[in-house]
Amino acid sequence: MTSVTRSSSAPKTSPSRRLTFSLAINEAIHQSMAADERVVLLGQGVKSPWYVGNTTRGLLERFGELRVQDTPVSENAVTGAAVGMAIAGLRPIVVHPRVDFLVYALDPILNQAANWRYMFGGRSSVPMVLWAIVNRGGEQGAQHSQSLHALFAHVPGLKVVMPSTPHDAKGLMVSAIQDNDPVVFIDERWLYSTEDEVPEDFYSIPLGRGVVRRVGRDVTLVSASFLSKETVRAAEVLAEEGIDAEVIDLRTIKPLDSNLVLSSLKKTGRLVVVDGGWRTCGFAAEVAALAAEAGPAILRAPVVRITLPDIPAPVSTSLEEVYYFGYKEIVQRTKGVMS
């Protein structure tokens, strides 16, 4: 049995149609900019499909160059300017076509945006979206294939969002824009062509709330972003072999929906965490720690982490096939938990 639960503020009667992941993001930005003139978009290649696919389609033509700015290649300066815009009252979205190069902008993000509310006792904040795209595969190599979500989730003052479906991508982008503090919105380019039913209405999904993609009783599988799809696929294979897995898509890895994870774990007693990042000090380790801190009575078997190895991404296609994993690996490792 597959049970999908969705949480959003979209009216149940809202008409919907199938939309790709990338165009769902595009619609979220269109509707947010139309609803609030403080919302602006800036970054490299916002008018170039080569950089950002069709996620920014029609925005420049509709809202003009004052609100949609294609910037030079200077991540630190552009992000710093956006932080200033946010402090001054705007709600900027800064797109970084590759999350790898967001590290050039760590000073305005970590030292300024993340700390601002705390330094001023809550009297001032930085309402901005740091939108970063993960590009993997295609022989792009170590400097163009990283997923750095754990790095940003480690920093107090930052929220980190990682949607896996077009429906959630739209609703979570709207919430990120409306949030009064900095939000790191990380999406995977591998998801851009996936389709889903997406309401036409302007809706949001609360940050920090995961969703049960499949109800099960034997083992809890936790993931986010692209690997949530692979995890659901793995659960379907496991079901054919008599293993009833519950699949949780966290959608936001910080704040982490700990209640949802622990509630499932109390039922199943077994935990497999699937993470597209590196193993050491990663997102999977954080979820495993959550289970460990809940006490030994909650676990019937050791926690399993399925992650990338602690090495950079290779270049050749043959090595990429070994480096990255999908549903088959999840199936194999989960069967080991059940034995």
Side-chain angles (χ1 to χ4, degrees), residues 273 275 278-291 305 307:
V273 191
D275 182 12
W278 295 304
R279 184 174 183 81
T280 300
C281 297
F283 151 67
E286 183 64 27
V287 179
L290 173 69
R305 291 181 286 161
T307 69

mmCIF file with all atom_site columns, all heavy atoms in Angstrom, residues 273 275 278-291 305 307:
data_model
loop_
_atom_site.group_PDB
_atom_site.id
_atom_site.type_symbol
_atom_site.label_atom_id
_atom_site.label_alt_id
_atom_site.label_comp_id
_atom_site.label_asym_id
_atom_site.label_entity_id
_atom_site.label_seq_id
_atom_site.pdbx_PDB_ins_code
_atom_site.Cartn_x
_atom_site.Cartn_y
_atom_site.Cartn_z
_atom_site.occupancy
_atom_site.B_iso_or_equiv
_atom_site.pdbx_formal_charge
_atom_site.auth_seq_id
_atom_site.auth_comp_id
_atom_site.auth_asym_id
_atom_site.auth_atom_id
_atom_site.pdbx_PDB_model_num
ATOM 1   N N   . VAL A 1 273 ? 18.809 5.978  6.826  1.00 0.00 ? 273 VAL A N   1
ATOM 2   C CA  . VAL A 1 273 ? 18.844 7.372  6.374  1.00 0.00 ? 273 VAL A CA  1
ATOM 3   C C   . VAL A 1 273 ? 19.573 7.441  5.041  1.00 0.00 ? 273 VAL A C   1
ATOM 4   O O   . VAL A 1 273 ? 20.695 6.937  4.922  1.00 0.00 ? 273 VAL A O   1
ATOM 5   C CB  . VAL A 1 273 ? 19.535 8.290  7.394  1.00 0.00 ? 273 VAL A CB  1
ATOM 6   C CG1 . VAL A 1 273 ? 19.301 9.754  7.015  1.00 0.00 ? 273 VAL A CG1 1
ATOM 7   C CG2 . VAL A 1 273 ? 19.043 8.019  8.806  1.00 0.00 ? 273 VAL A CG2 1
ATOM 8   N N   . ASP A 1 275 ? 21.123 9.828  2.149  1.00 0.00 ? 275 ASP A N   1
ATOM 9   C CA  . ASP A 1 275 ? 21.616 11.197 2.029  1.00 0.00 ? 275 ASP A CA  1
ATOM 10  C C   . ASP A 1 275 ? 22.496 11.340 0.790  1.00 0.00 ? 275 ASP A C   1
ATOM 11  O O   . ASP A 1 275 ? 23.400 10.537 0.569  1.00 0.00 ? 275 ASP A O   1
ATOM 12  C CB  . ASP A 1 275 ? 22.409 11.553 3.301  1.00 0.00 ? 275 ASP A CB  1
ATOM 13  C CG  . ASP A 1 275 ? 22.920 12.984 3.294  1.00 0.00 ? 275 ASP A CG  1
ATOM 14  O OD1 . ASP A 1 275 ? 22.481 13.776 2.432  1.00 0.00 ? 275 ASP A OD1 1
ATOM 15  O OD2 . ASP A 1 275 ? 23.748 13.307 4.161  1.00 0.00 ? 275 ASP A OD2 1
ATOM 16  N N   . TRP A 1 278 ? 28.069 13.811 1.699  1.00 0.00 ? 278 TRP A N   1
ATOM 17  C CA  . TRP A 1 278 ? 29.139 12.951 2.196  1.00 0.00 ? 278 TRP A CA  1
ATOM 18  C C   . TRP A 1 278 ? 28.782 12.403 3.564  1.00 0.00 ? 278 TRP A C   1
ATOM 19  O O   . TRP A 1 278 ? 27.903 12.925 4.257  1.00 0.00 ? 278 TRP A O   1
ATOM 20  C CB  . TRP A 1 278 ? 30.449 13.746 2.254  1.00 0.00 ? 278 TRP A CB  1
ATOM 21  C CG  . TRP A 1 278 ? 30.927 14.166 0.913  1.00 0.00 ? 278 TRP A CG  1
ATOM 22  C CD1 . TRP A 1 278 ? 31.189 13.377 -0.159 1.00 0.00 ? 278 TRP A CD1 1
ATOM 23  C CD2 . TRP A 1 278 ? 31.190 15.520 0.495  1.00 0.00 ? 278 TRP A CD2 1
ATOM 24  N NE1 . TRP A 1 278 ? 31.616 14.138 -1.227 1.00 0.00 ? 278 TRP A NE1 1
ATOM 25  C CE2 . TRP A 1 278 ? 31.618 15.446 -0.858 1.00 0.00 ? 278 TRP A CE2 1
ATOM 26  C CE3 . TRP A 1 278 ? 31.117 16.767 1.100  1.00 0.00 ? 278 TRP A CE3 1
ATOM 27  C CZ2 . TRP A 1 278 ? 31.967 16.592 -1.584 1.00 0.00 ? 278 TRP A CZ2 1
ATOM 28  C CZ3 . TRP A 1 278 ? 31.461 17.900 0.383  1.00 0.00 ? 278 TRP A CZ3 1
ATOM 29  C CH2 . TRP A 1 278 ? 31.885 17.803 -0.941 1.00 0.00 ? 278 TRP A CH2 1
ATOM 30  N N   . ARG A 1 279 ? 29.530 11.364 3.973  1.00 0.00 ? 279 ARG A N   1
ATOM 31  C CA  . ARG A 1 279 ? 29.155 10.612 5.165  1.00 0.00 ? 279 ARG A CA  1
ATOM 32  C C   . ARG A 1 279 ? 29.486 11.341 6.468  1.00 0.00 ? 279 ARG A C   1
ATOM 33  O O   . ARG A 1 279 ? 28.631 11.469 7.340  1.00 0.00 ? 279 ARG A O   1
ATOM 34  C CB  . ARG A 1 279 ? 29.893 9.250  5.132  1.00 0.00 ? 279 ARG A CB  1
ATOM 35  C CG  . ARG A 1 279 ? 29.511 8.338  6.287  1.00 0.00 ? 279 ARG A CG  1
ATOM 36  C CD  . ARG A 1 279 ? 30.172 6.971  6.094  1.00 0.00 ? 279 ARG A CD  1
ATOM 37  N NE  . ARG A 1 279 ? 29.799 6.033  7.126  1.00 0.00 ? 279 ARG A NE  1
ATOM 38  C CZ  . ARG A 1 279 ? 28.662 5.336  7.141  1.00 0.00 ? 279 ARG A CZ  1
ATOM 39  N NH1 . ARG A 1 279 ? 27.791 5.509  6.159  1.00 0.00 ? 279 ARG A NH1 1
ATOM 40  N NH2 . ARG A 1 279 ? 28.376 4.497  8.111  1.00 0.00 ? 279 ARG A NH2 1
ATOM 41  N N   . THR A 1 280 ? 30.723 11.823 6.607  1.00 0.00 ? 280 THR A N   1
ATOM 42  C CA  . THR A 1 280 ? 31.188 12.339 7.897  1.00 0.00 ? 280 THR A CA  1
ATOM 43  C C   . THR A 1 280 ? 30.538 13.686 8.239  1.00 0.00 ? 280 THR A C   1
ATOM 44  O O   . THR A 1 280 ? 30.589 14.623 7.445  1.00 0.00 ? 280 THR A O   1
ATOM 45  C CB  . THR A 1 280 ? 32.721 12.478 7.876  1.00 0.00 ? 280 THR A CB  1
ATOM 46  O OG1 . THR A 1 280 ? 33.293 11.188 7.625  1.00 0.00 ? 280 THR A OG1 1
ATOM 47  C CG2 . THR A 1 280 ? 33.224 13.002 9.215  1.00 0.00 ? 280 THR A CG2 1
ATOM 48  N N   . CYS A 1 281 ? 29.929 13.744 9.423  1.00 0.00 ? 281 CYS A N   1
ATOM 49  C CA  . CYS A 1 281 ? 29.265 14.966 9.906  1.00 0.00 ? 281 CYS A CA  1
ATOM 50  C C   . CYS A 1 281 ? 28.170 15.439 8.948  1.00 0.00 ? 281 CYS A C   1
ATOM 51  O O   . CYS A 1 281 ? 27.908 16.639 8.821  1.00 0.00 ? 281 CYS A O   1
ATOM 52  C CB  . CYS A 1 281 ? 30.267 16.095 10.132 1.00 0.00 ? 281 CYS A CB  1
ATOM 53  S SG  . CYS A 1 281 ? 31.477 15.738 11.405 1.00 0.00 ? 281 CYS A SG  1
ATOM 54  N N   . GLY A 1 282 ? 27.519 14.510 8.288  1.00 0.00 ? 282 GLY A N   1
ATOM 55  C CA  . GLY A 1 282 ? 26.502 14.866 7.306  1.00 0.00 ? 282 GLY A CA  1
ATOM 56  C C   . GLY A 1 282 ? 25.092 14.875 7.871  1.00 0.00 ? 282 GLY A C   1
ATOM 57  O O   . GLY A 1 282 ? 24.857 14.632 9.060  1.00 0.00 ? 282 GLY A O   1
ATOM 58  N N   . PHE A 1 283 ? 24.135 15.116 6.977  1.00 0.00 ? 283 PHE A N   1
ATOM 59  C CA  . PHE A 1 283 ? 22.721 15.133 7.330  1.00 0.00 ? 283 PHE A CA  1
ATOM 60  C C   . PHE A 1 283 ? 22.287 13.772 7.875  1.00 0.00 ? 283 PHE A C   1
ATOM 61  O O   . PHE A 1 283 ? 21.508 13.679 8.837  1.00 0.00 ? 283 PHE A O   1
ATOM 62  C CB  . PHE A 1 283 ? 21.924 15.538 6.089  1.00 0.00 ? 283 PHE A CB  1
ATOM 63  C CG  . PHE A 1 283 ? 20.543 15.001 6.004  1.00 0.00 ? 283 PHE A CG  1
ATOM 64  C CD1 . PHE A 1 283 ? 19.567 15.412 6.897  1.00 0.00 ? 283 PHE A CD1 1
ATOM 65  C CD2 . PHE A 1 283 ? 20.195 14.091 5.021  1.00 0.00 ? 283 PHE A CD2 1
ATOM 66  C CE1 . PHE A 1 283 ? 18.282 14.915 6.816  1.00 0.00 ? 283 PHE A CE1 1
ATOM 67  C CE2 . PHE A 1 283 ? 18.922 13.595 4.927  1.00 0.00 ? 283 PHE A CE2 1
ATOM 68  C CZ  . PHE A 1 283 ? 17.965 14.007 5.835  1.00 0.00 ? 283 PHE A CZ  1
ATOM 69  N N   . ALA A 1 284 ? 22.798 12.685 7.296  1.00 0.00 ? 284 ALA A N   1
ATOM 70  C CA  . ALA A 1 284 ? 22.438 11.350 7.766  1.00 0.00 ? 284 ALA A CA  1
ATOM 71  C C   . ALA A 1 284 ? 22.892 11.137 9.205  1.00 0.00 ? 284 ALA A C   1
ATOM 72  O O   . ALA A 1 284 ? 22.194 10.498 10.001 1.00 0.00 ? 284 ALA A O   1
ATOM 73  C CB  . ALA A 1 284 ? 23.052 10.283 6.852  1.00 0.00 ? 284 ALA A CB  1
ATOM 74  N N   . ALA A 1 285 ? 24.061 11.664 9.543  1.00 0.00 ? 285 ALA A N   1
ATOM 75  C CA  . ALA A 1 285 ? 24.558 11.527 10.919 1.00 0.00 ? 285 ALA A CA  1
ATOM 76  C C   . ALA A 1 285 ? 23.644 12.267 11.891 1.00 0.00 ? 285 ALA A C   1
ATOM 77  O O   . ALA A 1 285 ? 23.422 11.811 13.027 1.00 0.00 ? 285 ALA A O   1
ATOM 78  C CB  . ALA A 1 285 ? 25.979 12.064 11.014 1.00 0.00 ? 285 ALA A CB  1
ATOM 79  N N   . GLU A 1 286 ? 23.102 13.394 11.480 1.00 0.00 ? 286 GLU A N   1
ATOM 80  C CA  . GLU A 1 286 ? 22.210 14.166 12.346 1.00 0.00 ? 286 GLU A CA  1
ATOM 81  C C   . GLU A 1 286 ? 20.920 13.387 12.631 1.00 0.00 ? 286 GLU A C   1
ATOM 82  O O   . GLU A 1 286 ? 20.441 13.353 13.775 1.00 0.00 ? 286 GLU A O   1
ATOM 83  C CB  . GLU A 1 286 ? 21.879 15.504 11.674 1.00 0.00 ? 286 GLU A CB  1
ATOM 84  C CG  . GLU A 1 286 ? 21.005 16.428 12.515 1.00 0.00 ? 286 GLU A CG  1
ATOM 85  C CD  . GLU A 1 286 ? 21.697 16.860 13.802 1.00 0.00 ? 286 GLU A CD  1
ATOM 86  O OE1 . GLU A 1 286 ? 22.927 16.899 13.832 1.00 0.00 ? 286 GLU A OE1 1
ATOM 87  O OE2 . GLU A 1 286 ? 20.986 17.151 14.779 1.00 0.00 ? 286 GLU A OE2 1
ATOM 88  N N   . VAL A 1 287 ? 20.366 12.760 11.611 1.00 0.00 ? 287 VAL A N   1
ATOM 89  C CA  . VAL A 1 287 ? 19.148 11.975 11.812 1.00 0.00 ? 287 VAL A CA  1
ATOM 90  C C   . VAL A 1 287 ? 19.436 10.753 12.676 1.00 0.00 ? 287 VAL A C   1
ATOM 91  O O   . VAL A 1 287 ? 18.636 10.379 13.547 1.00 0.00 ? 287 VAL A O   1
ATOM 92  C CB  . VAL A 1 287 ? 18.540 11.555 10.456 1.00 0.00 ? 287 VAL A CB  1
ATOM 93  C CG1 . VAL A 1 287 ? 17.280 10.723 10.671 1.00 0.00 ? 287 VAL A CG1 1
ATOM 94  C CG2 . VAL A 1 287 ? 18.217 12.782 9.611  1.00 0.00 ? 287 VAL A CG2 1
ATOM 95  N N   . ALA A 1 288 ? 20.590 10.126 12.460 1.00 0.00 ? 288 ALA A N   1
ATOM 96  C CA  . ALA A 1 288 ? 20.977 8.978  13.284 1.00 0.00 ? 288 ALA A CA  1
ATOM 97  C C   . ALA A 1 288 ? 21.136 9.386  14.745 1.00 0.00 ? 288 ALA A C   1
ATOM 98  O O   . ALA A 1 288 ? 20.733 8.656  15.660 1.00 0.00 ? 288 ALA A O   1
ATOM 99  C CB  . ALA A 1 288 ? 22.291 8.377  12.759 1.00 0.00 ? 288 ALA A CB  1
ATOM 100 N N   . ALA A 1 289 ? 21.711 10.570 14.979 1.00 0.00 ? 289 ALA A N   1
ATOM 101 C CA  . ALA A 1 289 ? 21.870 11.063 16.343 1.00 0.00 ? 289 ALA A CA  1
ATOM 102 C C   . ALA A 1 289 ? 20.513 11.314 16.996 1.00 0.00 ? 289 ALA A C   1
ATOM 103 O O   . ALA A 1 289 ? 20.329 11.072 18.199 1.00 0.00 ? 289 ALA A O   1
ATOM 104 C CB  . ALA A 1 289 ? 22.700 12.344 16.339 1.00 0.00 ? 289 ALA A CB  1
ATOM 105 N N   . LEU A 1 290 ? 19.572 11.804 16.211 1.00 0.00 ? 290 LEU A N   1
ATOM 106 C CA  . LEU A 1 290 ? 18.216 12.028 16.728 1.00 0.00 ? 290 LEU A CA  1
ATOM 107 C C   . LEU A 1 290 ? 17.637 10.726 17.269 1.00 0.00 ? 290 LEU A C   1
ATOM 108 O O   . LEU A 1 290 ? 17.039 10.695 18.362 1.00 0.00 ? 290 LEU A O   1
ATOM 109 C CB  . LEU A 1 290 ? 17.329 12.581 15.604 1.00 0.00 ? 290 LEU A CB  1
ATOM 110 C CG  . LEU A 1 290 ? 15.846 12.730 15.899 1.00 0.00 ? 290 LEU A CG  1
ATOM 111 C CD1 . LEU A 1 290 ? 15.621 13.841 16.916 1.00 0.00 ? 290 LEU A CD1 1
ATOM 112 C CD2 . LEU A 1 290 ? 15.073 13.035 14.611 1.00 0.00 ? 290 LEU A CD2 1
ATOM 113 N N   . ALA A 1 291 ? 17.824 9.641  16.526 1.00 0.00 ? 291 ALA A N   1
ATOM 114 C CA  . ALA A 1 291 ? 17.308 8.345  16.972 1.00 0.00 ? 291 ALA A CA  1
ATOM 115 C C   . ALA A 1 291 ? 18.058 7.847  18.203 1.00 0.00 ? 291 ALA A C   1
ATOM 116 O O   . ALA A 1 291 ? 17.447 7.320  19.147 1.00 0.00 ? 291 ALA A O   1
ATOM 117 C CB  . ALA A 1 291 ? 17.441 7.328  15.841 1.00 0.00 ? 291 ALA A CB  1
ATOM 118 N N   . ARG A 1 305 ? 23.286 4.292  7.574  1.00 0.00 ? 305 ARG A N   1
ATOM 119 C CA  . ARG A 1 305 ? 23.410 5.503  6.765  1.00 0.00 ? 305 ARG A CA  1
ATOM 120 C C   . ARG A 1 305 ? 23.856 5.134  5.354  1.00 0.00 ? 305 ARG A C   1
ATOM 121 O O   . ARG A 1 305 ? 24.866 4.451  5.196  1.00 0.00 ? 305 ARG A O   1
ATOM 122 C CB  . ARG A 1 305 ? 24.443 6.457  7.375  1.00 0.00 ? 305 ARG A CB  1
ATOM 123 C CG  . ARG A 1 305 ? 24.023 7.093  8.676  1.00 0.00 ? 305 ARG A CG  1
ATOM 124 C CD  . ARG A 1 305 ? 25.116 8.027  9.178  1.00 0.00 ? 305 ARG A CD  1
ATOM 125 N NE  . ARG A 1 305 ? 26.261 7.306  9.708  1.00 0.00 ? 305 ARG A NE  1
ATOM 126 C CZ  . ARG A 1 305 ? 27.481 7.837  9.863  1.00 0.00 ? 305 ARG A CZ  1
ATOM 127 N NH1 . ARG A 1 305 ? 27.708 9.084  9.506  1.00 0.00 ? 305 ARG A NH1 1
ATOM 128 N NH2 . ARG A 1 305 ? 28.458 7.124  10.366 1.00 0.00 ? 305 ARG A NH2 1
ATOM 129 N N   . THR A 1 307 ? 25.139 7.005  2.171  1.00 0.00 ? 307 THR A N   1
ATOM 130 C CA  . THR A 1 307 ? 25.641 8.319  1.771  1.00 0.00 ? 307 THR A CA  1
ATOM 131 C C   . THR A 1 307 ? 26.670 8.182  0.656  1.00 0.00 ? 307 THR A C   1
ATOM 132 O O   . THR A 1 307 ? 27.057 7.076  0.284  1.00 0.00 ? 307 THR A O   1
ATOM 133 C CB  . THR A 1 307 ? 26.343 9.006  2.971  1.00 0.00 ? 307 THR A CB  1
ATOM 134 O OG1 . THR A 1 307 ? 27.553 8.285  3.254  1.00 0.00 ? 307 THR A OG1 1
ATOM 135 C CG2 . THR A 1 307 ? 25.460 9.002  4.221  1.00 0.00 ? 307 THR A CG2 1
#
